[in-house]
Amino acid sequence: MSEVTRSLLQRWGASFRRGADFDSWGQLVEAIDEYQILARHLQKEAQAQHNNSEFTEEQKPFRLKLQWRLSTLFGRGVDSRGSSLTKTIGKIATCLELRSAALQSTQSQEEFKLEDLKKLEPILKNILTYNKEFPFDVQPVPLRRILAPGEEENLEFEEDEEEGGAGAGSPDSFPARVPGTLLPRLPSEPGLTSLTIRIEKIGLKDAGQCIDPYITVSVKDLNGIDLTPVQDTPVASRKEDTYVHFNVDIELQKHVEKLTKGAAIFFEFKHYKPKKRFTSTKCFAFMEMDEIKAGPIVIELYKKPTDFKRKKLQLLTKKPLYLHLHQTLHKE
């Protein structure tokens, strides 16, 4: 086993133990965060191995580079064993998400118990040699490509007349995310204001056709640089008529008074495209600092690409369809 592999497995094991310890101590917020972080890392590794089998001959240089990376990490190429390894990693990630979801549920937490989760620690520790049947009847989280900012520019695909061009943006300064990566409210500080934004619903003419829609929330300065970690809502709770409903709270990760002049809060609506097998940005909206006021607000929707610098904005539609939000200010 190479040093790279050993270090990776040690980090995974340490993260798993931290989450389980927080869980057993009743520190649920910390446990959820640790479970979700580890699940994200495992999904990323599974995705890297999965993508290796989807390269075309034109992409051979990239394929060879990825094969080299995998052989460095796991001492082998992508064969039948590699496929089994990918599935096992994905299933562990699924179990972490199931436990995380159970901790967040207001109902019974019997769906996936801590003692069940602890059975996975020896599997994770010996992931390279594990060849038994997985102890739980779960499936890996579906591997879906979530495009990085700017990647859609190089893809050819049909869009409806209102969607316009391809998505783009500035590189994230924070780690990659998966839907549902919400962060807790900031600790209160005397004289400073924290902001909770409830995303209620978004109006779209084809709302019912959007698959697994969610919203990415970010705070950018005038140059499009992230001022806080990026957060993704869970997948929408329901679709009804011309609305996609979320009803989820986003906790801004910086006190209002500490935001730089000209900053804006962006909301990117994303959905999955099964034919192209990637998650795409459909439209975006943003709220500037002078719009931070307690109570309800509706903001306009713009065509992609997401223009974080707010230089070339085009409305998505002339119809009265908006992003509906409700703001709550917290100040000591």
Side-chain angles (χ1 to χ4, degrees):
M1 182 187 300
S2 71
E3 284 301 317
V4 174
T5 304
R6 184 177 290 105
S7 176
L8 177 65
L9 295 180
Q10 287 175 348
R11 290 199 302 273
W12 287 354
S15 179
F16 186 96
R17 288 189 294 276
R18 280 196 300 272
D21 286 344
F22 284 135
D23 198 345
S24 62
W25 297 335
Q27 295 178 244
L28 303 190
V29 173
E30 292 83 355
I32 291 167
D33 286 347
E34 199 65 49
Y35 289 151
Q36 291 182 344
I37 289 170
L38 179 55
R40 193 156 62 234
H41 284 303
L42 294 176
Q43 289 164 2
K44 183 178 180 181
E45 191 59 50
Q47 183 76 64
Q49 295 192 47
H50 173 77
N51 286 348
N52 185 61
S53 65
E54 295 191 343
F55 285 120
T56 64
E57 284 304 312
E58 290 76 11
Q59 297 168 312
K60 188 175 180 180
F62 299 98
R63 180 175 61 196
L64 293 175
K65 182 178 179 181
L66 184 53
Q67 284 177 333
W68 175 85
R69 175 177 178 270
L70 292 174
S71 64
T72 300
L73 282 177
F74 297 105
R76 58 175 60 83
V78 180
D79 51 14
S80 59
R81 169 64 190 136
S83 176
S84 175
L85 176 64
T86 300
K87 289 181 180 178
T88 302
I89 292 173
K91 287 182 178 181
I92 294 174
T94 296
C95 291
L96 289 165
E97 292 195 350
L98 287 173
R99 181 57 187 164
S100 178
L103 293 178
Q104 296 178 73
S105 174
T106 56
Q107 302 174 358
S108 171
Q109 294 181 4
E110 297 300 311
E111 294 180 7
F112 202 87
K113 300 178 181 179
L114 175 58
E115 48 264 41
D116 292 331
L117 189 70
K118 287 183 176 180
K119 295 176 183 177
L120 301 179
E121 186 172 5
I123 299 177
L124 185 63
K125 182 178 180 180
N126 302 291
I127 192 75
L128 299 183
T129 56
Y130 183 78
N131 58 7
K132 299 179 182 179
E133 184 176 352
F134 199 77
F136 303 106
D137 184 18
V138 298
Q139 294 300 316
V141 174
L143 297 174
R144 294 179 173 182
R145 189 179 180 201
I146 299 177
L147 298 182
E151 278 194 285
E152 288 182 37
E153 294 174 342
N154 301 318
L155 298 176
E156 295 181 1
F157 53 91
E158 294 181 359
E159 299 286 357
D160 64 40
E161 62 183 7
E162 285 192 358
E163 281 201 22
S170 65
D172 289 340
S173 303
F174 298 87
R177 296 96 47 210
V178 292
T181 54
L182 298 182
L183 299 171
R185 185 181 304 172
L186 291 174
S188 60
E189 292 186 29
L192 295 180
T193 306
S194 58
L195 172 64
T196 301
I197 302 175
R198 169 160 284 257
I199 301 177
E200 295 180 341
K201 60 184 180 180
I202 186 172
L204 298 166
K205 69 170 188 177
D206 56 350
Q209 299 175 27
C210 296
I211 299 175
D212 291 351
Y214 66 96
I215 291 177
T216 294
V217 182
S218 58
V219 183
K220 310 280 187 179
D221 67 11
L222 284 170
N223 294 314
I225 303 301
D226 287 310
L227 298 176
T228 68
V230 179
Q231 301 184 65
D232 293 323
T233 72
V235 169
S237 57
R238 63 189 172 95
K239 292 174 281 189
E240 185 178 69
D241 298 325
T242 56
Y243 287 103
V244 178
H245 294 260
F246 289 92
N247 293 313
V248 63
D249 288 339
I250 302 291
E251 303 293 346
L252 201 70
Q253 295 299 297
K254 184 168 284 191
H255 291 103
V256 175
E257 290 83 359
K258 293 184 179 181
L259 292 172
T260 59
K261 184 178 180 181
I265 305 169
F266 282 82
F267 305 85
E268 297 174 90
F269 181 86
K270 300 180 178 181
H271 63 128
Y272 181 63
K273 292 189 171 183
K275 290 183 179 179
K276 299 297 179 178
R277 294 197 296 177
F278 64 73
T279 296
S280 171
T281 299
K282 182 177 181 66
C283 61
F284 73 99
F286 65 90
M287 188 175 71
E288 297 183 313
M289 295 301 96
D290 60 358
E291 296 176 289
I292 296 180
K293 298 173 184 176
I297 182 176
V298 295
I299 54 178
E300 295 177 313
L301 305 176
Y302 296 95
K303 291 182 179 180
K304 63 181 185 180
T306 307
D307 183 6
F308 293 123
K309 296 182 180 180
R310 293 161 269 164
K311 301 283 188 182
K312 300 177 181 178
L313 300 171
Q314 296 184 60
L315 288 175
L316 178 69
T317 176
K318 295 179 181 178
K319 298 177 181 179
L321 298 173
Y322 307 97
L323 177 62
H324 295 247
L325 309 171
H326 190 282
Q327 302 180 78
T328 303
L329 299 173
H330 313 272
K331 188 172 184 177
E332 280 198 0

